[in-house]
């Protein structure tokens, strides 16, 4: 891992050079211009509205079309994007961003401080329904100091603010967009990114062509990028293996070994902090008793889950949501699979004859159900008699999610510890679905977010994790790798653990 | 029965059905393993002495799952057909016996429903009712009803003008007596034949709904669901898809051949 301790503070409050290239080891040789990159994906690009979208294939699309103030680098640090540099002041309660000069939108309009102000004000308007709103709720005011300088004033001290403005949904749209119905952005995006839209058919294809006026001279290298929708996984794999597409955005675990073994193909495995979590609601029996939760935690063979559900493409986790990819992960003790001890603990908790309970899983993604079925089998030895109820994803979302007392959740990795904690764990978390509400934990998270000192933050976030490990609000059995694949001749393709930034402008084709 | 033995497709159908019947009646006792038990060391294996038909992605024994799943799969087909036939026969006989504008009204409605293919109809109903075994069974039954009603009505119409029915009418018997004693017993042959063939379709539609995630839910061992769950792994072990797939084919073919033979035998005009 990269040593963050030295550089972190510098990035938070100091300057970042505009020429810094985020990617490490971009590939071999001198980049060659030209060619069309064909990317396959299996979920629809239902909208190109950067302020609202949330689909796995929509993120790479808007990462090519738009730019943000900052952009998440491969090492989870904010990299310069539209902002050349930034600095914090007043105990991380005020941040000033200096914009690159001479940047234009795809329609030729200049991109200036007014556009940034309009974008963030729009995101903070509940009517826009942007997922970025909850992440940026600490903004009290945003002002254009001059055409190339924007200042944010915050309600609270927030050290990770440069990361927050790099949110995938917080990319800069032209100020003129707000004078028209915002739905126009769904199909007619207008950004400052390296590619602009030529053809958009949400049921089939998105074709992007090079933005000749992109603010990094010489980039992008590709003439065009085409994203093809394959609703059927088997058809996607066949087309990729036959060479009809160059890049498979996401590879299924079950297919990974077969695809990696194919000639002329490189399969890429990126460790990530995304996880499956078993939600155990704690305002009602039986999970209001921490011993029942701990018993279940001991009744799950995590390594075996990684082997049979993830095909080995992941790492066992021990109920700590903070993966090693985050900055302040503490040493997390392994929880061995011990059905006998689990049974004893369950008995101590008042269930000497075992516990009968229904675990709900949706059918998307498939591993939700697979993990549920595997847990059912593993936990049986410990006295848990689990009935697995599988249901269509829509039914699950409307009837069980955020309501049920025992079900399977699935979450992507967050850019910061604060993001992970305020997503699920704090009392006011956006998706608080366990009723594990702990004032001490809330206080630690609140202090961590406003602390600029590295060592102190590490300590605060460490204590917060200790509380999670003590109380086991969720059972988190593993971290799942992000998998992608590309064909010979594609140089520089990669995915980020967060799957939000893709740096396609740096990809080139090394073929005649 | 003797006639059946002289009918080669009928013999084939009977043999296949016997196999299926054994699985339905004795499946759980024939299965060497617990159908849900994992064998992590033996995942996605081909047939072997330990696992006769191989194992799936969790290392579950395919033969055991097949044996346990027979009941769910076949009973689904029989149940759906039974409900569909009962409802269809009731509607058809009513229409046929009553005649007049009631008949016309019922039949025009049924004609409209018949225009929608069975699977599409079933999908539509499941979408409204929600997924699950009972809902899927009901959906297939409802989808079958118009066709069955048509056949029942045709049978009734051909009998209604027979001399023995006219005689019963002349004797002044009640309508219920005529339907119960004279019409139904003579109309039931074609209905049974059609029902036997329909079971094959019911099994296939049930498997399709299971495959689409709208019928049985994991970890059920219903055969269509087995195919769906295993699809991702078919390149690594073709048996995970082939085993339940062939089982569905055997069951469907058995009912189909048997039904065909039954029709030939029960139809005097086709008798050799």
């Amino acid at each position: 891992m990269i040593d963050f301790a030295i550089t972190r503070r510098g990035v938070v409050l100091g300057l970042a050079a505009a020429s810094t290239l985020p990617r490490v080891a971009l590939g071999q040789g001198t980049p060659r211009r030209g060619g069309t990159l064909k990317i396959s994906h299996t979920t629809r690009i239902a909208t190109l509205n950067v302020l609202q979208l949330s689909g796995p294939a929509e993120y790479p699309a808007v990462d090519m079309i738009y730019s943000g103030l900052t952009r998440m680098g491969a090492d989870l640090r904010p990299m310069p994007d539209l902002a050349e540099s930034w600095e914090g002041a007043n105990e991380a309660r005020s941040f000033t961003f200096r914009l690159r000069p001479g940047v234009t939108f795809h329609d030729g309009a200049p991109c200036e401080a007014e556009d940034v102000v309009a974008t963030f004000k729009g995101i903070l308007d509940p009517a826009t329904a942007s997922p970025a709103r909850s992440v940026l709720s600490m903004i009290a005011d945003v002002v254009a100091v001059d055409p190339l300088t924007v200042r944010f004033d915050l309600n609270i001290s927030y050290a990770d603010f440069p990361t927050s403005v790099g949110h995938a949904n917080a990319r800069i749209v032209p100020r003129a967009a707000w004078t028209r119905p915002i739905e126009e952005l769904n199909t007619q995006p207008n950004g400052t990114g390296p590619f602009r839209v030529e053809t958009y058919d949400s049921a089939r294809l998105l074709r992007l062509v090079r933005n000749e006026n992109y603010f990094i001279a010489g980039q992008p290298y590709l003439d065009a990028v085409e994203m093809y929708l394959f609703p059927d996984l088997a058809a996607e794999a066949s087309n990729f293996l036959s060479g009809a597409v160059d890049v498979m955005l996401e590879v299924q675990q079950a297919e990974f070994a077969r695809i990696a073994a194919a000639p002329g193909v490189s399969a890429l495995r990126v460790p990530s902090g995304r996880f499956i979590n078993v939600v155990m609601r704690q305002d009602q029996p039986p999970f209001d008793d921490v011993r029942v939760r701990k018993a279940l935690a001991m009744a799950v063979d995590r390594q075996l889950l990684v082997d049979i559900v993830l095909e080995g493409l992941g790492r066992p986790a021990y109920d700590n949501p903070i993966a090693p990819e985050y900055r302040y992960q503490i040493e997390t003790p392994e929880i061995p699979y011990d059905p006998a001890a689990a049974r004893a603990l369950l008995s101590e908790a008042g269930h000497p004859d075992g516990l009968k309970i229904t675990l709900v899983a949706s059918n998307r993604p498939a591993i939700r159900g697979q993990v549920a079925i595997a847990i059912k089998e593993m936990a049986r030895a410990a006295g848990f008699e689990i009935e697995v109820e599988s249901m269509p994803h829509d039914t699950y979302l409307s009837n069980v999610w955020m309501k049920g007392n025992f079900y399977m959740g699935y979450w992507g990795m967050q850019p910061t510890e604060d993001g992970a904690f305020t997503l699920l764990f704090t009392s006011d978390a956006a998706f608080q679905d366990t009723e594990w509400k702990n004032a001490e934990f809330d206080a630690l998270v609140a202090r961590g977010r406003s602390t600029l000192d590295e060592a102190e933050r590490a300590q605060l976030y460490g204590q917060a994790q200790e509380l999670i490990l003590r109380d086991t609000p969720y059972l988190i059995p593993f971290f799942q790798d992000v998998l992608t694949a590309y064909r010979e001749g594609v140089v520089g393709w990669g995915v980020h653990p967060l799957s939000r930034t893709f740096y396609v402008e740096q990809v080139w084709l090394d073929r005649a | 029965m003797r006639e059946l033995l002289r009918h080669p497709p009928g013999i084939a159908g009977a043999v296949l059905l016997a196999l299926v019947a054994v699985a339905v009646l004795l499946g759980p006792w024939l299965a060497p393993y617990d159908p849900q038990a994992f064998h992590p060391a033996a995942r996605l294996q081909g047939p072997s002495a330990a696992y006769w038909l191989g194992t799936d992605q969790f290392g579950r024994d395919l033969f055991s799952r097949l044996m346990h799943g027979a009941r769910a799969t076949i009973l689904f087909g029989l149940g759906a057909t039974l409900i569909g036939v009962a409802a269809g026969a009731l509607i058809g006989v009513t229409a046929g016996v009553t005649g007049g504008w009631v008949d016309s009204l019922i039949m025009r409605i049924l004609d409209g429903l018949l225009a929608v293919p069975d699977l599409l109809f079933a999908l539509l109903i499941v979408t409204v009712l929600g997924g699950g075994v009972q809902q899927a069974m009901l959906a297939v039954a409802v989808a079958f009803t118009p066709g069955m009603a048509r056949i029942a009505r045709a049978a009734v119409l051909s009998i209604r003008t027979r001399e023995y029915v006219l005689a019963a009418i002349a004797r002044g018997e009640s309508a219920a007596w005529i339907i119960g004693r004279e019409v139904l017993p003579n109309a039931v042959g074609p209905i049974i034949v059609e029902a036997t063939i329909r079971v094959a379709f019911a099994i296939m539609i049930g498997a399709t709904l299971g495959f689409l995630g709208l019928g049985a839910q994991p970890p059920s061992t219903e055969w269509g669901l087995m195919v769906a769950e295993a699809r991702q792994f078919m390149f690594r072990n073709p048996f995970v898809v082939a085993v339940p797939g062939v089982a569905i084919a055997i069951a469907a073919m058995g009912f189909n051949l048997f039904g065909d033979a039954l029709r030939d035998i029960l139809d005097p005009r086709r008798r050799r």
Side-chain angles (χ1 to χ4, degrees):
Chain A
M1 280 303 292
I2 295 155
D3 187 359
F4 294 109
I6 304 164
T7 51
R8 235 349 248 168
R9 193 183 168 91
V11 172
V12 170
L13 288 180
L15 297 167
S19 58
T20 318
L21 285 178
R23 270 288 172 73
V24 218
L26 259 185
Q28 338 54 28
T30 324
R32 191 181 298 175
R33 268 173 90 87
T36 299
L37 184 74
K38 294 175 182 158
I39 301 174
S40 70
H41 56 99
T42 54
T43 51
R44 259 170 65 115
I45 300 179
T47 174
L48 289 174
N49 187 331
V50 64
L51 302 166
Q52 292 170 347
L53 54 77
S54 62
E58 292 164 0
Y59 287 119
V62 294
D63 189 56
M64 291 187 259
I65 300 167
Y66 286 96
S67 317
L69 282 181
T70 63
R71 199 174 181 194
M72 191 58 97
D75 52 6
L76 287 190
R77 282 189 294 159
M79 306 304 296
D81 205 12
L82 283 175
E84 298 185 303
S85 65
W86 53 87
E87 57 201 14
N90 190 15
E91 286 292 295
R93 276 169 175 272
S94 172
F95 285 83
T96 307
F97 292 82
R98 236 170 302 286
L99 305 184
R100 283 172 204 268
V103 178
T104 56
F105 285 98
H106 294 160
D107 68 355
C111 175
E112 292 172 333
E114 280 304 330
D115 301 289
V116 177
V117 171
T119 300
F120 281 91
K121 287 204 164 142
I123 287 170
L124 292 174
D125 179 355
T128 311
S130 176
R133 182 169 158 258
S134 64
V135 177
L136 296 167
S137 57
M138 75 298 264
I139 298 177
D141 195 17
V142 45
V143 284
V145 178
D146 65 54
L148 291 180
T149 311
V150 183
R151 195 185 74 238
F152 291 85
D153 296 317
L154 312 184
N155 293 321
I156 53 168
S157 298
Y158 199 85
D160 285 325
F161 189 69
T163 303
S164 305
V165 294
H167 191 277
N169 292 106
R171 293 186 163 118
I172 307 305
V173 298
R175 68 197 99 159
W178 301 99
T179 61
R180 289 191 294 269
I182 205 69
E183 291 76 33
E184 274 187 23
L185 290 176
N186 296 1
T187 51
Q188 298 157 38
N190 182 18
T192 52
F195 295 91
R196 60 187 167 78
V197 177
E198 189 180 88
T199 312
Y200 171 49
D201 176 351
S202 75
R204 195 173 64 86
L205 162 83
L206 172 67
R207 182 179 154 86
L208 305 166
V209 295
R210 186 207 322 259
N211 172 11
E212 296 290 353
N213 301 318
Y214 185 52
F215 50 75
I216 296 179
Q219 288 183 3
Y221 303 120
L222 296 164
D223 287 338
V225 178
E226 290 173 357
M227 295 184 70
Y228 290 93
L229 173 66
F230 289 93
D232 184 78
L233 297 171
E236 185 193 23
S238 320
N239 272 276
F240 175 68
L241 291 176
S242 71
V245 294
D246 305 307
V247 166
M248 229 170 133
L249 184 62
E250 179 146 29
V251 181
Q252 304 296 309
Q253 284 102 10
E255 296 268 51
F256 190 77
R258 182 170 79 100
I259 283 170
V265 166
S266 298
L268 207 60
R269 198 185 144 178
V270 180
S272 167
R274 65 175 165 169
F275 56 72
I276 284 270
N277 59 340
V278 181
V279 178
M280 303 175 283
R281 207 174 171 90
Q282 285 148 44
D283 56 354
Q284 50 185 275
F287 295 116
D288 53 348
D289 189 333
V290 67
R291 290 173 297 189
V292 178
R293 308 199 294 269
K294 294 272 188 205
L296 185 63
M298 281 193 283
V300 173
D301 185 340
R302 293 146 201 262
Q303 185 59 52
L304 186 62
L305 275 181
V306 170
D307 290 344
I308 65 177
V309 175
L310 296 184
E311 306 284 337
L313 300 164
R315 293 158 297 170
Y318 299 97
D319 305 337
N320 186 352
I322 304 302
E325 282 65 43
Y326 288 93
R327 280 168 230 133
Y328 305 110
Q329 192 214 27
I330 58 166
E331 186 124 352
T332 307
E334 286 190 15
I335 302 170
Y337 177 54
D338 191 345
R343 188 184 273 276
L345 192 58
L346 193 62
S347 169
E348 194 191 310
H351 304 280
D353 304 324
L355 182 61
K356 212 174 158 161
I357 193 157
T358 301
L359 176 59
V360 182
S362 88
N363 59 354
R364 236 174 37 204
I367 63 168
R368 269 197 230 243
Q370 290 165 4
V371 172
I373 290 167
I375 287 179
K376 165 197 163 85
E377 285 304 310
M378 292 166 174
R380 182 149 54 173
F384 285 95
E385 210 178 303
I386 296 173
E387 176 105 13
V388 174
E389 189 184 340
S390 312
M391 55 176 64
H393 195 61
D394 295 335
T395 317
Y396 161 85
L397 285 184
S398 57
N399 295 347
V400 177
W401 186 58
M402 304 286 295
K403 298 189 190 89
N405 72 333
F406 196 37
Y407 61 91
M408 307 298 300
Y410 183 56
W411 291 99
M413 188 179 170
Q414 303 303 313
T416 59
E417 279 79 0
D418 189 67
F421 292 145
T422 53
L423 187 77
L424 295 169
F425 293 91
T426 52
S427 301
D428 59 348
F431 301 101
Q432 159 68 256
D433 56 358
T434 58
E435 294 299 314
W436 178 74
K437 292 183 175 171
N438 186 309
E440 192 187 349
F441 179 84
D442 294 348
L444 286 168
V445 173
R447 274 174 62 202
R449 97 169 41 119
S450 59
T451 303
L452 299 178
D453 183 80
E454 279 304 304
E456 204 185 327
R457 279 190 110 191
Q459 202 196 352
L460 290 167
Y461 284 148
Q463 286 169 352
Q465 290 171 65
E466 296 284 1
L467 285 179
I468 287 177
L469 294 180
R470 186 191 77 190
D471 287 354
T472 318
Y474 292 104
L475 174 62
I476 300 175
F478 56 64
F479 295 121
Q480 183 192 9
D481 292 348
V482 177
L483 308 173
T484 185
Y486 56 94
R487 296 195 66 85
E488 220 163 45
V490 177
V491 186
W493 172 259
V495 292
H496 187 277
L498 298 174
S499 305
R500 294 291 182 271
T501 47
F502 297 83
Y503 293 96
V504 184
E505 72 277 10
Q506 299 174 22
V507 175
W508 53 282
L509 295 173
D510 187 15
R511 57 169 78 124
Chain B
M1 203 61 207
R2 192 170 300 153
E3 304 225 13
L4 189 67
L5 294 177
R6 267 188 264 129
H7 193 282
I11 298 173
V15 170
L16 293 180
L17 278 192
L19 278 177
V20 171
V22 169
V24 169
L25 295 175
L26 304 175
W29 290 280
L30 291 176
Y33 298 96
D34 176 349
Q36 309 294 0
F38 290 10
H39 304 100
R43 301 176 56 223
L44 295 169
Q45 287 191 346
S48 65
Y51 307 102
W52 296 348
L53 294 177
T55 57
D56 72 359
Q57 66 273 21
F58 291 124
R60 298 180 293 198
D61 181 44
L62 284 176
F63 180 67
S64 303
R65 288 180 73 71
L66 199 65
M67 288 295 118
H68 277 268
R71 241 173 233 190
T73 313
I74 305 300
L75 292 186
F76 176 91
L78 290 175
T81 312
L82 211 65
I83 303 172
V85 167
L90 196 71
I91 297 174
V93 171
T94 310
V97 172
T98 321
W101 66 269
V102 178
D103 181 33
S104 300
L105 181 72
I106 292 178
M107 290 328 284
R108 290 303 81 73
I109 294 173
L110 292 183
D111 284 348
L113 293 179
L114 269 177
V116 185
D118 284 351
L119 177 61
L120 199 64
F121 202 10
L123 267 177
L124 207 72
I125 296 166
V126 172
T127 314
V128 174
L129 294 180
V133 180
Q134 280 98 9
Q135 288 91 329
M137 198 190 277
L138 200 65
V140 175
V142 173
F144 278 1
T145 303
M148 287 310 307
R150 232 175 198 294
I151 285 159
R153 174 178 171 272
V156 168
L157 283 186
S158 77
I159 288 163
R160 210 169 60 157
T161 50
R162 294 281 170 87
E163 288 81 356
Y164 55 83
V165 178
L166 297 178
I169 295 172
R171 284 202 306 276
E173 305 284 2
S174 74
W177 193 91
I178 296 173
I179 293 174
R181 293 300 299 272
E182 302 288 356
V183 178
L184 262 187
N186 290 294
V188 87
I191 295 175
I192 288 180
V193 170
E194 175 69 15
T196 320
I197 297 172
R198 290 254 167 178
V199 174
F201 289 104
I203 290 173
M204 287 194 288
I205 296 178
T208 308
L209 290 175
F211 177 80
L212 294 174
L214 297 168
Q217 297 295 331
S220 160
T221 49
E222 199 267 332
W223 293 347
L225 182 68
M226 275 174 76
V227 177
E229 281 194 290
R231 201 166 72 106
Q232 267 194 303
F233 301 92
M234 71 179 168
F235 290 105
R236 291 166 59 192
N237 180 11
F239 286 92
V240 288
V241 173
V243 166
V246 168
I248 295 170
I250 286 177
M253 224 154 77
F255 277 105
N256 214 329
L257 291 175
F258 188 78
D260 266 354
L262 216 54
R263 182 186 58 203
D264 290 356
I265 291 158
L266 291 177
D267 184 348
R269 274 162 299 179
R270 289 210 196 180
R271 200 174 288 176
R272 277 162 294 179

